[in-house]
Amino acid sequence: MELQERSPLLEVKGNRELKRPLVKVPSQLPLPGSRFKRGTNQMEDALEPEKKRVRGLGTATKIDTSHPKAPVLTTVPQTRGQTAAPKGPKKIGPRCSTAIATVLKNQKPGPALPAQKPGKLKCCHEKTQMLGQENQQLWSQLREAQQQATALGAERRTLQEELTRVRAQAEQDHQELETLRAHVLELEEQLGTQQGLVRELQKEQLGLQEEQRGLATRLEEQERKLQASESALSESQAEVASLRCEAAAQVALLGEQGERLHGLEMERRRLHNQLQELKGNIRVFCRVRPVLPGEPTPPSGFLLFPLGHGGPSDPPTRLSLSRSDERRGTLSGAPAPTTRHDFSFDRVFPPGSGQDKVFEEIAMLVQSALDGYPVCIFAYGQTGSGKTFTMEGGPGGDPQVAGLIPRALRHLFSVAQELGCQGWTYHFVASYVEIYNETVRDLLATGTRKGQGGECEIRRAGPGSEELTVTNARYVPVSCEKEVEALLHLARQNRAVARTAQNERSSRSHSVFQLRISGEHAGRGLQCGAPLSLVDLAGSERLDPGLALGPGERERLRETQAINSSLSTLGLVFMALSNKESHVPYRNSKLTYLLQNSLGGSAKMLMFVNISPLEENVSESLNSLRFASKVNQCVIGTAQANKK
Ligand code: ADP
Ligand code: MG
């Protein structure tokens, strides 16, 4: 029993029960069927003294002292010189060793064997029996031990398996732990990020809270403003209602005033025309051009502009031209006497008068065309006296020196625009022709007809129509100054082309610019329209009959006669109209025929007599002034507006 308490099996069992970590210890128990193996060196050393003590028995007894609590005695049968093959490993416990020890102790040296032989045999026999019993006990112990060893082996395997499993588990757990650690790290990282985010969000939240507070303040402010606006709105609505009433009253008043305005406009037109009539339906203005650079200065007193009865404030209407009678002076030997010729016109423009000043005087007359009165303005005078300058303007189209044509159209466009506010709509169509040697040519021709001087005929616009039109001539609608400028430029170009073909043609031709005006008041069903004619007449100079005529001169004489005849026809027409003759010779010249509707009782006429300031032109100047004076004496009917 003592042996069992100290048995390694028990200790192993106890260890297992205590769940102590297992240490791999090589088993000290001999296994049945296996060859006996010597223990470790350490074990041999421990057995060394015992071996010496039991050698005398013919067997070597080995005591296993590797385990302090369970020394094991192993008996190995031994033959000299050779190690006997063990029949089976024998493990002898402490009780066996005690028995052997007891046997050895009881062996005492005795007398010689024969004397003691029966006793000794008996004793040996007993001892053998005792040893056999002991051997059996030992064998049973051995079996028991072997069983224990088998159980222990099984248990060891189980434990090893368990260990392997536990290790695998531990490895797995370790891996899991690593994974968890990594996960934890990741989570920590995420946590850090989240914390950063949270901080940001907190910051943002703070900002938003701040903004919210600001918005709340603004909202309050807006609400206050809204309230103020609402009260202002209700006030305004009340005001609007009262304004509406006022507006309705104003509309009614406006209607009344529109009526009154129309009445006033009609009255203005009537008075305007009365004034024009008082001024005379044919008026004559005299314009003296300045001395040009390079021209001789005329003697003082050659041209005089006597003041009117009203003094300097009165516009000049008189002109005196002094002519020296050289023939009389030569005959008497005394200085040539001068004859002073006085002329009086509706208006006289001395050399310094600008284009604007001249136009001022005719603006009202031009405006009559809008009211439906035909208006005709002529420029009469010798070549170089300033007719083209007066009608079209200075060279190069400089706006400062723009002539009557562009200024008249600008004025008409602006007045038409003003009348547009009163319901009037106006349309303007321009034409520009040249009458040379009794042939008519379009000055606005373009393209292939440009400069060709394609012949045109003067015809009635339609059967039974009073209106005259020029066939093959362009009639161009105009509505602004730029368009008029372009037309004048085109006319200048066409004249220049013709001039190369026939020298100085322009001075021997009449240029007739005509503007057809048609106005309409749709609201009142009124219509009015009348032509405005602006005529740059051919040079009025006469050919000196005393000069010898060459073949070229004869041609020139014919031209001059044609010019003179058309100019004298114009004079005759004026006379016939003035004398209220039944026949007015309009058809005697192309010029008077074309201007038929702009001359006569229902028209307003103005003639500019252009005078050269040079003494050398005195004769022609006198002729022009005499012709103009005759025209000025004409009183032609009462103007009638073309109204429908
Ligand atoms: P006409 O047409 O009668 O032959 P122009 O109109 O061609 O004469 O005038 C002759 C010259 O005199 C031109 O060079 C013109 O510029 C100039 N002239 C005419 N009238 C004036 C004026 N009032 N002021 C300045 N120059 C003028
Ligand atoms: Mg000219």
Side-chain angles (χ1 to χ4, degrees), residues 358-612:
V358 175
F359 181 72
E360 242 176 56
E361 289 296 315
I362 63 151
M364 295 305 276
L365 177 72
V366 166
Q367 204 175 317
S368 295
L370 288 178
D371 301 341
Y373 294 91
V375 175
C376 192
I377 301 174
F378 298 96
Y380 179 95
Q382 74 173 112
T383 300
S385 61
K387 298 184 295 294
T388 306
F389 185 93
T390 301
M391 294 312 260
E392 284 191 17
D398 180 1
Q400 284 289 315
V401 287
L404 298 187
I405 298 174
R407 285 173 196 266
L409 269 82
R410 187 196 302 167
H411 183 69
L412 289 175
F413 293 148
S414 102
V415 175
Q417 205 173 354
E418 281 171 29
L419 289 170
C421 303
Q422 292 178 33
W424 286 94
T425 318
Y426 281 95
H427 293 284
F428 304 94
V429 179
S431 67
Y432 206 0
V433 297
E434 179 190 71
I435 302 170
Y436 171 75
N437 218 359
E438 288 302 282
T439 55
V440 183
R441 192 171 70 103
D442 186 15
L443 285 177
L444 303 182
T446 52
T448 49
R449 294 191 297 138
K450 190 172 180 177
Q452 298 287 310
E455 277 193 30
C456 307
E457 290 299 326
I458 303 163
R459 297 260 184 279
R460 295 215 168 264
S465 169
E466 290 280 301
E467 197 181 356
L468 290 167
T469 189
V470 178
T471 58
N472 289 330
R474 281 176 72 212
Y475 284 82
V476 186
V478 284
S479 55
C480 67
E481 280 175 76
K482 285 246 177 264
E483 288 168 354
V484 177
E485 268 171 38
L487 292 186
L488 294 181
H489 181 71
L490 179 62
R492 268 197 292 273
Q493 278 186 329
N494 279 337
R495 266 202 220 105
V497 172
R499 196 175 299 149
T500 53
Q502 285 162 311
N503 191 34
E504 284 303 318
R505 176 182 166 133
S506 68
S507 68
R508 285 183 252 285
S509 63
H510 311 292
S511 296
V512 184
F513 181 91
Q514 283 191 302
L515 189 73
R516 288 178 181 169
I517 302 169
S518 54
E520 190 185 3
H521 194 298
R524 295 179 189 277
L526 292 173
Q527 282 182 332
C528 64
L532 168 72
S533 304
L534 299 157
V535 188
D536 183 355
L537 292 169
S540 60
E541 60 272 11
R542 286 149 204 255
L543 201 66
D544 192 340
L547 286 174
L549 297 176
E553 294 294 315
R554 276 203 198 94
E555 176 64 24
R556 211 177 143 212
L557 181 63
R558 239 196 329 273
E559 279 176 17
T560 313
Q561 280 168 347
I563 296 162
N564 288 341
S565 109
S566 70
L567 285 178
S568 52
T569 306
L570 182 66
L572 289 173
V573 165
F574 287 145
M575 288 298 183
L577 288 169
S578 175
N579 297 336
K580 298 193 177 20
E581 286 172 19
S582 56
H583 176 72
V584 182
Y586 290 118
R587 293 230 175 191
N588 282 6
S589 79
K590 292 274 166 72
L591 177 73
T592 48
Y593 183 36
L594 180 62
L595 295 174
Q596 187 174 333
N597 294 329
S598 304
L599 304 172
S602 62
K604 294 171 189 282
M605 289 160 283
L606 174 76
M607 180 173 278
F608 272 96
V609 57
N610 288 91
I611 299 294
S612 158

